[in-house]
Amino acid sequence: MRSPRRCSRNACPRQAVATLTYVYNESTAVVGPLAAFAEPHTYDLCEQHARSLTAPRGWDVVRHEGEFEPPPPTTDDLVALAEAVREAARPVAPRPPQDDHDPHPQNPPTGRRGHLRVIPPNH
C-alpha cells in the first residue's frame, strides 16, 4: 500500500500538503500545492513548514496563497489497501520439519515480516 507522503523536514511526522521547488537561475523558492508525484529535486512540506519557509538572503519566496489541503485518496490507494488486507488475512501454511544437519535442504526456510518476505538464494 502506498503511504501518504510525509514532510521532508527532518523529524517532521506530518503529512505533506505542499511542494517546494528551487529555481536556482532566478534565486527563487516556490511553495505550491502538493505535486501529483514526488519528483527529484523537490521537497514535500507540511502546512506549518510550507507557511514558515524562509529563503537565503537575496532569494525570493513565491508562496501559494490559498489553502493547502491533503490530497484525497485515489482508487489506487483503496485497491492497495484491499490487497494488503487480503494478504494479511491469508493463513500461513505450516512447513514440514527439516533435518538441521542437511547442508543443502530441499526447501530452504523463508522468513516473513509484515508484508515483506525473505527469499533464500538459489543453489
Side-chain angles (χ1 to χ4, degrees):
M1 182 175 90
R2 194 174 58 166
S3 62
R5 287 161 43 192
R6 298 286 174 204
C7 184
S8 296
R9 296 290 301 260
N10 287 339
C12 183
R14 291 185 287 272
Q15 183 176 4
V17 296
T19 298
L20 166 65
T21 306
Y22 289 107
V23 183
Y24 292 98
N25 62 346
E26 295 179 18
S27 300
T28 303
V30 179
V31 180
L34 188 64
F37 301 98
E39 297 285 335
H41 311 294
T42 64
Y43 303 90
D44 293 338
L45 300 175
C46 65
E47 185 167 5
Q48 177 185 347
H49 288 123
R51 298 230 181 262
S52 65
L53 178 90
T54 59
R57 186 173 295 155
W59 281 58
D60 295 318
V61 176
V62 175
R63 196 181 321 266
H64 173 72
E65 293 299 326
E67 293 295 316
F68 290 114
E69 297 183 20
T74 65
T75 56
D76 291 343
D77 293 334
L78 298 176
V79 169
L81 177 60
E83 289 296 328
V85 169
R86 282 189 205 108
E87 175 70 21
R90 286 188 190 131
V92 177
R95 282 186 251 146
Q98 295 182 3
D99 180 12
D100 291 337
H101 302 291
D102 186 359
H104 299 290
Q106 296 291 12
N107 296 317
T110 59
R112 182 174 173 92
R113 176 174 236 162
H115 65 284
L116 303 176
R117 289 189 186 96
V118 176
I119 300 174
N122 292 332
H123 294 296

